[in-house]
Amino acid sequence: DIFGGPSAPPPAAAAAPVDMFGDLLSGPSTPAPVAVSPQKVMDLVCLAIVADQGTIYEDPAGLCVAAQIAVQGNVCKVLLRYKNSGGSPIQALSMHVETIQGVETQAQPAPDTLPPGGQGQHQVQLNVSAVFAAPPKLTYTFTQGGVSRTLETFLPITPCRFQAPVTCTKEQYFGVWGKITGPPNEVAKVFKSKKPIVRKDFEDAIAALRYSVLVGVDPNPNNIVGAARASVAGQDMFCVIRIETEPAQQAIKLTIKTSSPALSEVTRLVMMTLFSA
C-alpha cells in the first residue's frame, strides 16, 4: 500500500517481479549515456501528471526514472523507481528535492548503486499546505563509467491533483467566469497545436487534471469548457477552463481562471506542454 509508513517501501512494490519496468522503461542500450533535453523531460513529466504515473526521465544508456503517485488529503506519496539501462554501474546515486514554500518533503534515500540492468526504488512524501506554481524539481548526482553526472527532472505533482470536478449549469459557469478577470488569476494563451485538433484529446486532458467536461455550456460547439474546485489545507478555490479551437488552422486559445494565480499558471504549463507546437 503506497500509503504505508514513510520509513519503508510499500510491500507490493517490493515484491514486484524483476521485469516491472518491462513496458515502462525498456529501451535499447547504447555505448554511453546521453543528454536528455529539458523539453523532453517536461513532456514526460506532464504525461505522468495527467496519468498519476509514468516515466519522468529516460536515458536509454543510463538512468531511467519512473513515478507512481497516490494522494490522501493533503499528503502526497510518490514511489520512485529506477533502472540502469547502461552497460556500466551507476554509483553514489543521490537525489535532492527542491524546497518549495508550502510543501514539506520527507524522502527516503535513493538506492546508492545500480548495476547494469539493475533496479531500485524509494519513496518521497509531500505534505502540502499551500498552492505551488510548478512541479518540484528533482536533482540527481551519480557516477557512471568513471564520469560524474548531474541530471534534473520534476516530481509529477501539481495543485491540480487536489481538485475535484464540478458539474454546473451554464449560468453558474459563466457566473464564476465573470467574477475572475485579468491577470494573475486569469491566464490566456493563443498557440498552434502540435497535432490535428481532436476534441476528445482535450476533454481527456482536462478530465485528467480533475476538471469536469461541461456539455452544452459554451455556445460554440468547437469549444471545450470545464469546472473544478480545489482544496488545499482547508482553502477552497474555484477553477474554470475554456479551450477555444479553430480546427482548420490548428489554432487554440486557452483561458484558465482560478482563485489562485499559482494554480492558474501551473494548469497553463501542463496544458501547453501537452498540446502546443
Side-chain angles (χ1 to χ4, degrees), residues 47-265:
L47 288 172
I49 286 170
V50 297
D52 275 348
Q53 63 180 355
T55 304
I56 58 173
Y57 193 92
E58 186 170 25
D59 177 352
L63 184 65
C64 298
V65 186
Q68 180 182 349
I69 305 154
V71 171
Q72 191 173 60
N74 289 315
V75 177
C76 176
K77 294 189 178 183
V78 185
L79 182 65
L80 293 170
R81 297 173 173 170
Y82 302 94
K83 180 178 179 180
N84 179 3
S85 295
S88 57
I90 289 174
Q91 298 175 314
L93 177 63
S94 178
M95 182 200 73
H96 172 73
V97 184
E98 175 187 16
T99 300
I100 294 179
Q101 185 175 2
V103 180
E104 180 186 351
T105 304
Q106 297 174 324
Q108 297 172 348
D112 181 74
T113 302
L114 296 171
Q119 300 172 19
Q121 64 182 44
H122 69 132
Q123 185 172 281
V124 177
Q125 177 173 303
L126 307 178
N127 295 284
V128 179
S129 60
V131 177
F132 49 100
K137 182 184 292 184
L138 295 178
T139 302
Y140 289 95
T141 58
F142 57 93
T143 300
Q144 187 175 22
V147 178
S148 296
R149 299 194 63 204
T150 300
L151 62 85
E152 293 180 345
T153 183
F154 300 87
L155 284 172
I157 294 293
T158 72
C160 297
R161 191 58 183 78
F162 302 96
Q163 292 180 175
V166 172
T167 300
C168 58
T169 65
K170 179 178 181 178
E171 292 71 25
Q172 290 169 327
Y173 175 87
F174 283 107
V176 175
W177 181 272
K179 289 179 181 177
I180 303 174
T181 57
N185 293 70
E186 176 183 353
V187 175
K189 295 291 181 181
V190 177
F191 59 93
K192 287 281 191 179
S193 176
K194 61 184 175 184
K195 58 183 180 180
I197 292 175
V198 177
R199 182 183 182 90
K200 188 175 185 303
D201 292 343
F202 289 92
E203 290 179 342
D204 289 348
I206 66 171
L209 291 176
R210 291 166 173 79
Y211 280 87
S212 60
V213 178
L214 300 173
V215 179
V217 169
D218 196 292
N220 187 331
N222 287 331
N223 298 345
I224 303 103
V225 298
R229 176 180 289 134
S231 181
V232 176
Q235 179 186 3
D236 286 340
M237 293 157 281
F238 294 99
C239 320
V240 289
I241 188 168
R242 188 184 194 191
I243 302 168
E244 302 170 72
T245 68
E246 288 288 347
Q249 302 178 25
Q250 289 187 219
I252 298 164
K253 181 179 180 181
L254 170 68
T255 306
I256 301 149
K257 299 186 177 188
T258 81
S259 306
S260 163
L263 184 56
S264 298
E265 174 57 25

Side-chain angles (χ1 to χ4, degrees), residues 21-65:
F21 278 90
D23 293 330
L24 191 59
L25 296 177
S26 60
S29 296
T30 54
V34 296
V36 180
S37 73
Q39 184 59 56
K40 175 63 174 176
V41 169
M42 187 53 71
D43 288 347
L44 290 172
V45 169
C46 286
L47 288 172
I49 286 170
V50 297
D52 275 348
Q53 63 180 355
T55 304
I56 58 173
Y57 193 92
E58 186 170 25
D59 177 352
L63 184 65
C64 298
V65 186

